Amino acid sequence: MARLVIVSNRVASPKERAAKAGGLAVALREALGKRGGLWFGWSGETSADAPAKPKMMRSGPISYALQTLDTEDQRAHYAGYANGTLWPLCHYRLGLFAFRRSDWEGYRRVNATFARSLMPLLKPDDVVWVHDYHFIPLASELRALGFEGRIGYFHHIPWPTPEVFYSLPSHAALVQDLGQYDLVGLQTEHDVRALLTYISAEARGWIGPGGVVGLHNRRFRVAAYPIGIDAEAFVTDAKAAERSKDRKRLLASLAGRSLAVGVDRLDYSKGLPNKFNAFDNLLERYPEHRSRVTMMQIAPVSRGEVAEYQQLRRELEELAGHVNGRYAEFDWVPLRYLNKPFPRATLAAIYRTAKLGLVTPLRDGMNLVAKEYIAAQDPEDPGVLVLSRFAGAADELPGAVTVNPYDIEGMADVMNRALLMPIEERRERWRANMDNVVSNTIHDWCERFLEDLGAREDRAEESSGS
Ligand code: ADQ
């Protein structure tokens, strides 16, 4: 079996325990452990005279290589092009989207730096798996340095439809970069259609059966690989949570009230103000839920250095204060708003206790919280998942009650309905969701992508059909 090399912006530290590292980090570590491999990424450090070589570490069969970046390059790459340009663009937020040529150049420089730092560590038959929008040009840079082995790319966030994608001045170059991969994985069939439509209409590529694409004398494949979770671990944690201290504390604090829970990074794609407003609207229009339902929103701060995220944080603090000021009683705080991260076991206890799981992003590649919430439910008395139609997970979870997060009153109506839903319907819906969660875990996702990447025989210079 060929050695696996994983590239991602942040690398989960070898010391991080499974319960703390996310499901993705655990699955990637497992894949590396099986084949032996190298995990390459940013060290999290910057300096004015960053060394050209990465810091090396080893833990069992896995090597880690962590590259430090030039301070200004890292800013242009991360806060600039990756999170100021690509993130809003891919989440359909043109109002928040900004393009600066210097950021685009910095993004390319960082990808070139990473390629130069990685190249000496690569063996010709390594399989390289690149993760996410920070690294779209990495394959181009590696090819320019002479690497001819297999390279796959997985895009964790949505791929925008052509009309939105055209707003990006560098759209043609970015898709040309994608063509240097052998396999491009997206979250949903919708994303695949969006990219293929662009490739055939704008880039004059050809599309063959099974998502094989011919573009600029290259042949590669584009396909959907919907990401999953470690379902077994969540089920185990949630069962154990029945008797945990966290669960007892939570139940005592609720004093018999129903819980509705949201767990999202503090990000404008997650639709948090709309969710707060919908809860406010529920309490306004359905007063029977006052003092009977508590909403808990867990939202750890993310990208706190970016202005749009600071603004969102202020907005949410104001909204939470508004809801609580309006409806709180001396023994009931309607909205509990927390900015800190929790271990998986605590999250599992909270999910299991919650009658409603509120996953209402304005746009999301997949959304793993939706799947975690399902896995953590008690099959005999499951809660209801309220899910945005704009999350990739909506394609996968047919038992969810879907909402349009732009429709505040509509969301409030659905929350009301979900709170009153009879047990038979809750069980039926949960079963339909759970079937999907267990049949497509993070391990299946990882295996499927790597199998397809390994099976690519048609990578060679494309000679016909264009
Ligand atoms: P994210 O935007 O980060 O991921 P999501 O899929 O919901 O979104 O994953 C978040 C993860 O962080 C979940 O596993 C969740 O449990 C965890 N988490 C959130 N809040 C936490 C807290 N307070 N404490 C501990 N853990 C917390 C991107 C894309 C998604 C895509 C994933 C994976 O934006 O659409 O599903 O990658 O591909």
Side-chain angles (χ1 to χ4, degrees), residues 157-315:
I157 63 178
W159 191 274
T161 50
E163 279 309 315
V164 172
F165 191 50
Y166 291 147
S167 310
L168 180 69
S170 48
H171 61 85
L174 215 60
V175 169
Q176 189 159 349
D177 285 334
L178 275 185
Q180 295 298 323
Y181 288 93
D182 299 296
L183 178 61
V184 171
L186 303 173
Q187 294 275 21
T188 66
E189 292 297 342
H190 178 271
D191 296 330
V192 169
R193 270 196 306 280
L195 177 57
L196 293 184
T197 306
Y198 173 91
I199 287 174
S200 60
E202 175 74 18
R204 304 272 163 89
W206 59 263
I207 316 290
V212 173
V213 171
L215 184 66
H216 306 305
N217 292 327
R218 292 266 318 164
R219 188 186 287 203
F220 64 107
R221 193 170 156 232
V222 177
Y225 297 87
I227 196 167
I229 60 160
D230 187 344
E232 213 179 296
F234 256 95
V235 171
T236 309
D237 279 351
K239 275 192 197 152
E242 288 280 353
R243 297 172 308 279
S244 73
K245 272 198 199 132
D246 286 339
R247 163 104 158 165
K248 278 187 199 133
R249 274 177 64 195
L250 178 58
L251 285 173
S253 77
L254 289 169
R257 298 185 180 94
S258 298
L259 177 68
V261 75
V263 176
D264 309 82
R265 275 185 310 100
L266 210 163
D267 191 294
Y268 54 75
S269 65
K270 304 292 182 184
L272 294 167
N274 299 34
K275 199 192 300 191
F276 284 16
N277 281 327
F279 184 60
D280 180 78
N281 194 265
L282 172 84
L283 298 178
E284 182 185 324
R285 289 174 43 240
Y286 298 94
E288 60 275 27
H289 294 302
R290 293 182 197 166
S291 278
R292 297 222 167 86
V293 184
T294 297
M295 173 171 159
M296 181 188 291
Q297 177 62 51
I298 300 176
V301 175
S302 168
R303 301 174 199 163
E305 69 284 8
V306 180
E308 285 77 10
Y309 289 73
Q310 292 164 359
Q311 162 61 26
L312 173 66
R313 193 171 177 188
R314 281 193 294 273
E315 184 183 355

Side-chain angles (χ1 to χ4, degrees), residues 22-24 87 91 132 154 156-158 187 227 229 234 263-265 267 269-270 298-300 303 339-344 347 351 364-370 372 445:
L24 175 62
W87 179 271
H91 289 88
D132 238 354
F154 186 76
H156 287 261
I157 63 178
Q187 294 275 21
I227 196 167
I229 60 160
F234 256 95
V263 176
D264 309 82
R265 275 185 310 100
D267 191 294
S269 65
K270 304 292 182 184
I298 300 176
R303 301 174 199 163
N339 287 136
K340 60 182 188 177
F342 288 98
R344 192 178 62 201
L347 279 186
Y351 290 144
D364 219 328
M366 177 55 57
N367 196 296
L368 297 179
V369 170
E372 292 167 0
W445 169 81

Side-chain angles (χ1 to χ4, degrees), residues 229 231 234-235 237-239 242 347-353 371-379 430 434:
I229 60 160
F234 256 95
V235 171
D237 279 351
K239 275 192 197 152
E242 288 280 353
L347 279 186
I350 297 172
Y351 290 144
R352 193 163 180 103
T353 308
K371 296 188 173 189
E372 292 167 0
Y373 176 74
I374 294 299
Q377 294 309 297
D378 174 357
W430 175 79
M434 190 63 177

